[in-house]
Amino acid sequence: MVCRRWRQVALQTPELWRRFDIGLGYPLPTIRKQWDWLVSMRPAAPDDIRVDCIQPGYPDQPALIYLWSQCGISTLERITHLEFVLLRSSTAAGIAHPSIALPNTRIDRLWVDSHEYPGRSTTHTPWEVDQLLETFPRVRYIKLLRQSCFSFRPGNAFLHTTFLHITNCVNVSICAGLSSFVNLERLWIQATTISEASASSTTTIRMPSLKWLCIYRATNFPWTKLDCPSLQVLTGEESVSDAIIQFLQQHPHVRDIDVQVDKQMFATFARTVPHVETLDLGGYIEGLAEWQTATDLVEPPFPNIRRLILDRTEEEIGLDLFESIVKTYCLLSISTTTTATTPPSIPPSQPQAHSIGESNPRKRAVDCLCVFGTTESFKTAKWAQSPLLAGCVRTSRTYSHLEPWLCLELRWPESSQSH
């Protein structure tokens, strides 16, 4: 129930009526009436279309053909969001059919989802994503969620797709066909198992336009097969392995990296990416402070770093570790071999250089030091009370996909950073 005033406001706000939910299973004339009513509420036809195919026996192609023609969907010049929600991933082939093709419609986002996690399903019907892209050839961003047994045929050329997102999928054969996305700029593969047969292919996967790569828990991902000359960002918090080291050696132009690294791989990783400018580091962050004693490095790692993110949410960062990192990367005027706390005789208003110990060999300080945590953890953390934080500017940034975590950004004035 809503009041009359709210109802009037809603009816006079065309943006509220841009989404059209098609529940296949309802009488088709009823769905058509719903479309006509939505069209009457706004100057343009709805451009956010969700097709619910969770009823047994759907997707039904005759029903989709009827709706495409009767509702005028086949004549739309642009759809901002087109989503198909299936009962099972085994029915995905039903929406990849020439009879419901939209060859001239620009689609900003195409999502294919399933109510059933493929890992729990006993029915896996192979299908080709190529058929889906031939049905909707002008899609820019495609997301495949909770699907299984799909593949890409090599040899095609998909010119319009710039973002491919694959999440919670199993037994997928994508390696041979990734090169078909000749203008792909962003690739995100998450919680997905790539088939061993696909991963074992020796064919090089060339993606000349790829700039952003996010890999998270992607089993059998073919790191060493990739050739991405335009890549700038590697994210996803994958654990650094020999394969990732080889990938980074082949892509020295990557400047923004988000990884987990253990103690055994820290020095190798640091030597591989001396050029990195933004580093989101999880795992053995102690290596940032213990590089002299725990590794064979001869100077502080990551000499060109401009933004350093300490990604340790599973436990609190200790005060000694935090202050050592600050002295090494943020306050170059402070010796790296002094004690963790500032002597009482030094006023807390401004960090001061120490007279003992060796000078910091770094040439420049980082622009920003970031720490992941929650609002409550920041209030109780011992490092948050460090005297070295005197004079620094603190700001926080939230990320919708990382709630309740937020990123605390710390910036020191230039006067306290120089030698």
Side-chain angles (χ1 to χ4, degrees), residues 18-33:
R18 62 184 300 178
R19 174 166 169 168
F20 181 40
D21 285 282
I22 301 175
L24 293 184
Y26 287 96
L28 296 180
T30 300
I31 299 175
R32 167 63 191 274
K33 289 181 180 180

Side-chain angles (χ1 to χ4, degrees), residues 345-392:
S345 59
I346 297 180
S349 60
Q350 179 67 36
Q352 301 293 321
H354 293 282
S355 59
I356 60 175
E358 299 176 356
S359 62
N360 194 324
R362 287 183 60 84
K363 299 298 188 294
R364 65 180 306 277
V366 299
D367 297 332
C368 181
L369 177 67
C370 308
V371 184
F372 269 110
T374 63
T375 302
E376 290 303 316
S377 68
F378 291 148
K379 292 179 180 178
T380 59
K382 293 181 179 179
W383 61 262
Q385 310 303 320
S386 171
L388 299 183
L389 291 174
C392 87

Side-chain angles (χ1 to χ4, degrees), residues 2-203:
V2 296
C3 69
R4 180 178 300 177
R5 173 59 179 161
W6 284 15
R7 183 176 185 273
Q8 290 176 343
V9 171
L11 293 175
Q12 295 171 3
T13 309
E15 284 299 305
L16 294 177
W17 311 105
R18 62 184 300 178
R19 174 166 169 168
F20 181 40
D21 285 282
I22 301 175
L24 293 184
Y26 287 96
L28 296 180
T30 300
I31 299 175
R32 167 63 191 274
K33 289 181 180 180
Q34 180 189 8
W35 172 270
D36 291 342
W37 185 82
L38 286 173
V39 170
S40 70
M41 298 302 298
R42 47 184 282 120
D47 59 359
D48 184 345
I49 300 172
R50 183 178 185 270
V51 185
D52 194 331
C53 309
I54 64 173
Q55 297 297 326
Y58 291 95
D60 178 61
Q61 289 169 359
L64 290 174
I65 294 171
Y66 173 88
L67 294 171
W68 256 226
S69 61
Q70 292 298 311
C71 297
I73 295 176
S74 58
T75 63
L76 295 178
E77 294 183 359
R78 179 183 179 187
I79 298 176
T80 58
H81 184 86
L82 176 60
E83 181 174 357
F84 293 91
V85 182
L86 311 173
L87 178 62
R88 296 182 180 88
S89 62
S90 58
T91 62
I95 60 174
H97 196 274
S99 59
I100 60 169
L102 299 175
N104 301 314
T105 303
R106 172 184 169 182
I107 302 175
D108 293 344
R109 298 185 302 272
L110 172 63
W111 291 12
V112 181
D113 193 1
S114 170
H115 269 212
E116 180 182 56
Y117 277 91
R120 302 173 185 170
S121 176
T122 57
T123 304
H124 297 290
T125 302
W127 63 285
E128 294 180 341
V129 178
D130 304 67
Q131 297 174 346
L132 186 68
L133 291 171
E134 289 165 2
T135 304
F136 309 107
R138 299 189 64 195
V139 60
R140 298 181 61 189
Y141 168 23
I142 179 170
K143 179 178 181 179
L144 303 174
L145 175 62
R146 290 188 284 266
Q147 302 298 312
S148 64
C149 295
F150 62 80
S151 61
F152 297 101
R153 291 194 309 265
N156 289 332
F158 303 116
L159 302 178
H160 296 279
T161 304
T162 59
F163 191 171
L164 176 61
H165 184 185
I166 301 172
T167 182
N168 290 106
C169 298
V170 299
N171 196 27
V172 300
S173 301
I174 61 173
C175 299
L178 284 176
S179 296
S180 300
F181 295 89
V182 294
N183 293 316
L184 195 69
E185 298 179 358
R186 299 168 69 91
L187 175 61
W188 185 355
I189 302 180
Q190 174 181 355
T192 290
T193 302
I194 299 171
S195 69
E196 293 184 3
S198 176
S200 63
S201 172
T202 59
T203 304

Side-chain angles (χ1 to χ4, degrees), residues 204-208 223-230 247 250-251:
T204 299
I205 304 171
R206 180 167 175 77
M207 291 182 283
W223 288 102
T224 59
K225 313 277 193 341
L226 297 184
D227 180 14
C228 314
S230 301
F247 170 82
Q250 296 170 345
H251 297 81

Side-chain angles (χ1 to χ4, degrees), residues 224-334:
T224 59
K225 313 277 193 341
L226 297 184
D227 180 14
C228 314
S230 301
L231 190 66
Q232 301 171 4
V233 179
L234 173 63
T235 185
E237 298 186 350
E238 283 291 90
S239 295
V240 173
S241 61
D242 290 336
I244 292 180
I245 291 294
Q246 182 177 341
F247 170 82
L248 290 171
Q249 290 172 340
Q250 296 170 345
H251 297 81
H253 41 272
V254 177
R255 294 292 188 269
D256 187 331
I257 300 176
D258 173 12
V259 292
Q260 298 278 326
V261 63
D262 60 25
K263 186 174 183 178
Q264 289 69 32
M265 296 296 294
F266 183 87
T268 302
F269 173 67
R271 281 191 291 267
T272 303
V273 292
H275 50 273
V276 66
E277 296 178 357
T278 298
L279 178 61
D280 186 332
L281 187 66
Y284 182 61
I285 65 173
E286 288 83 358
L288 297 169
E290 300 174 356
W291 61 272
Q292 287 178 303
T293 58
T295 74
D296 58 355
L297 298 173
V298 296
E299 61 181 13
F302 318 116
N304 294 297
I305 197 77
R306 302 180 67 89
R307 180 179 174 88
L308 176 60
I309 304 169
L310 307 180
D311 192 349
R312 175 173 287 180
T313 55
E314 71 277 6
E315 61 180 290
E316 182 180 320
I317 299 174
L319 175 61
D320 290 350
L321 174 59
F322 176 78
E323 291 194 337
S324 181
I325 292 174
V326 169
K327 294 173 185 178
T328 303
Y329 289 89
C330 306
L331 301 177
L332 304 190
S333 61
I334 295 182

